[in-house]
């Protein structure tokens, strides 16, 4: 980072360069929410949100494109078992990519009342 306490736009160059390359290399993939933060300037977060399982399919497309190993994926539930979350990290163009998908968990797969959804 630059000297001093303030993070500059230049400090985000690695993540922004990775985003630019993703747009060029993978324009056909579903558009994620994108987050670049001065808190973690070399991280690029890609999030997919959907009430159907479309975001899980999009996650898989991105995971494959980024060559993140299937065993690197963390699968869990949140919101009392109502939301499924997939998360994985990888590297692309020098940036840490954090790929996350959220989807409603089908009612039949939800944890019984009184039990919190947890890691599967």
């Amino acid at each position: 980072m630059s000297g001093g306490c303030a993070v500059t736009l230049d400090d985000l160059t690695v993540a922004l360069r990775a985003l630019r390359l993703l747009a060029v290399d993978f324009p056909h993939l579903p558009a994620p929410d994108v987050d670049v933060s001065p808190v973690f300037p070399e991280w690029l977060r890609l999030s997919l949100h959907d009430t159907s399982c479309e975001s899980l399919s999009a996650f898989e497309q991105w995971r494959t494109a980024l060559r993140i190993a299937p065993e690197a994926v963390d699968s869990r539930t949140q919101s009392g078992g109502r939301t499924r979350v997939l998360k994985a990290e990888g590297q692309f163009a020098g940036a840490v990519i954090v790929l996350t998908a959220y989807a409603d968990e089908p009612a039949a797969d939800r944890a019984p009342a009184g039990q919190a959804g947890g890691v599967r």
Side-chain angles (χ1 to χ4, degrees):
M1 285 193 204
S2 300
C5 294
V7 175
T8 66
L9 192 57
D10 188 53
D11 294 321
L12 303 178
T13 300
V14 171
L16 294 173
R17 182 182 311 117
L19 178 59
R20 185 188 73 198
L21 291 172
L22 288 174
V24 170
D25 292 350
F26 307 113
H28 60 285
L29 291 181
D33 289 332
V34 175
D35 180 43
V36 176
S37 171
V39 176
F40 298 102
E42 293 185 354
W43 290 23
L44 176 61
R45 291 182 181 85
L46 307 176
S47 301
L48 301 146
H49 303 263
D50 199 331
T51 56
S52 69
C53 288
E54 300 255 340
S55 62
L56 303 180
S57 174
F59 176 92
E60 186 60 20
Q61 292 174 55
W62 275 105
R63 185 199 61 74
T64 300
L66 294 169
R67 298 181 178 174
I68 298 172
E71 54 272 9
V73 177
D74 176 45
S75 176
R76 59 184 172 86
T77 60
Q78 64 184 33
S79 302
R82 293 187 308 265
T83 303
R84 182 159 181 206
V85 181
L86 299 179
K87 185 175 182 179
E89 292 183 14
Q91 294 278 326
F92 183 81
V96 174
I97 305 295
V98 180
L99 180 62
T100 310
Y102 303 90
D104 286 349
E105 187 74 79
D109 293 342
R110 292 184 186 165
Q115 292 183 3
V119 176
R120 294 182 174 199

